[in-house]
Amino acid sequence: MQYKQLSNGVSIPMLGFGTYEIDNSDVADAIQGALDAGYHHFDCAHIYGNEEAIGKAFKNSDVKREDLFITSKVWNADQGYDKTLKAFEQTLKDLQMDYLDLYLIHWPNEKDFQLTLDTWKALETLYNQGKIKAIGVSNFSEKQLKDVLSMAKVKPMVNQIERHPYKTQPELAAFDEANDIVNEGYSPIGHGHLILEDKTINEIAKKHGKTPAQVVLRWQIDTDFVIFPKSSKVARVKENFDIFDFNLTEDEIKDINALDQGKHLNY
């Protein structure tokens, strides 16, 4: 496993397991399968509707809490200072945990950004109380990040954004890096077969004796993104984890970067 260090010194595994769209009935097997494969970083969110099942799955496993890195997110309807504090306590209760490793604002409120700034103040409070080891945002633009940075007493440590070879977001990623904000990429292989059938990616995969998905995930890490692919298939979960025995060349990274179309594929 490779790790990134957040601006406050907390280490985050660069490869995690995504829990989006995993049905409650499948959670126990999915979580145990991920743990068996070697995952210790899990990306969750209240809106996914499965945090209670995820909490039970961890309780029923023999993994120690301190060996896990758990992320959750406050949903749009729960934004605002007091509502965020309440939503956080519900997430802790559902996950059966005493603290989170990372808590994010899931989306900025485009119509009332002050509400989002109040939400950030709540995250700072929880962070200062020691209930969260790190705080950050998701789906924030450069302008929105600047607005948060201008008022924050604790700066965002993470920005989680859609990121795959057809949407590489280089300008936003560079801004994040310049401000000590770690980039996380969701939908790391684009939610579909489009990217996995790409000629360039398949040629690179053949050279390394790897699958197209493994090449894309390796590209994410080689370009300094924390990622958390998801799958309910045991073989795919293991395959996604098996990316630490090779590296892409600079030319291969450039070739994948060149596939960028600014295309939204998170469907």
Side-chain angles (χ1 to χ4, degrees):
M1 179 56 65
Q2 290 175 240
Y3 294 82
K4 280 285 291 180
Q5 196 171 69
L6 303 181
S7 59
N8 66 344
V10 168
S11 288
I12 180 171
M14 292 193 73
L15 179 66
F17 185 78
T19 62
Y20 177 56
E21 289 186 332
I22 297 180
D23 290 336
N24 282 291
S25 59
D26 297 328
V27 163
D29 288 341
I31 294 296
Q32 192 56 55
L35 289 169
D36 291 343
Y39 293 86
H40 282 210
H41 172 188
F42 292 82
D43 183 81
C44 312
H46 172 71
I47 195 63
Y48 299 167
N50 54 14
E51 287 192 328
E52 194 172 351
I54 289 169
K56 288 178 183 175
F58 285 130
K59 277 291 181 186
N60 292 332
S61 74
D62 55 7
V63 66
K64 295 178 182 176
R65 172 65 185 94
E66 59 266 29
D67 292 334
L68 294 170
F69 190 101
I70 306 296
T71 299
S72 188
K73 313 175 193 78
V74 57
W75 184 240
N76 307 3
D78 295 319
Q79 286 201 30
Y81 188 86
D82 291 331
K83 289 178 77 174
T84 294
L85 296 180
K86 188 176 178 182
F88 175 79
E89 291 302 329
Q90 185 62 52
T91 277
L92 276 192
K93 182 181 176 183
D94 289 344
L95 290 172
Q96 299 184 53
M97 294 177 180
D98 298 323
Y99 69 93
L100 288 183
D101 297 279
L102 178 63
Y103 199 44
L104 308 176
I105 301 177
H106 208 144
W107 286 90
N109 188 313
E110 305 279 357
K111 293 180 180 178
D112 183 4
F113 199 71
Q114 183 58 49
L115 199 63
T116 295
L117 297 180
D118 292 340
T119 301
W120 184 255
K121 290 176 185 175
L123 264 61
E124 290 182 330
T125 295
L126 293 165
Y127 175 77
N128 289 326
Q129 290 174 346
K131 294 182 178 180
I132 314 169
K133 290 192 174 182
I135 53 178
V137 297
S138 180
N139 299 297
F140 276 52
S141 67
E142 181 176 329
K143 181 188 182 303
Q144 290 162 339
L145 281 166
K146 285 178 177 176
D147 288 342
V148 173
L149 289 168
S150 70
M151 56 72 69
K153 292 179 181 176
V154 181
K155 290 183 178 181
M157 297 155 196
V158 166
N159 187 20
Q160 185 180 117
I161 57 177
E162 180 182 353
R163 208 262 185 160
H164 44 73
Y166 288 178
K167 189 178 179 71
T168 64
Q169 307 226 54
E171 295 86 4
L172 183 53
F175 176 83
D176 289 345
E177 287 176 13
N179 287 277
D180 289 326
I181 299 171
V182 167
N183 287 300
E184 286 191 347
Y186 67 79
S187 299
I189 55 175
H191 275 214
H193 298 292
L194 199 60
I195 287 172
L196 299 184
E197 292 170 0
D198 187 275
K199 182 181 176 184
T200 297
I201 290 168
N202 275 270
E203 287 174 352
I204 294 171
K206 195 172 181 181
K207 287 180 189 174
H208 289 278
K210 291 289 184 177
T211 66
Q214 287 171 325
V215 164
V216 172
L217 296 177
R218 185 69 245 182
W219 164 78
Q220 295 275 18
I221 288 176
D222 283 347
T223 53
D224 225 21
F225 266 74
V226 175
I227 48 168
F228 30 88
K230 78 166 189 72
S231 179
S232 56
K233 297 177 181 176
V234 174
R236 182 61 60 79
V237 170
K238 291 179 179 177
E239 174 191 314
N240 289 345
F241 196 82
D242 187 22
I243 60 171
F244 296 103
D245 57 352
F246 77 109
N247 291 88
L248 301 179
T249 66
E250 285 186 20
D251 285 341
E252 288 168 342
I253 290 171
K254 285 179 183 176
D255 287 343
I256 296 176
N257 288 345
L259 300 175
D260 184 29
Q261 305 168 22
K263 184 177 283 187
H264 176 67
L265 292 178
N266 182 34
Y267 50 83

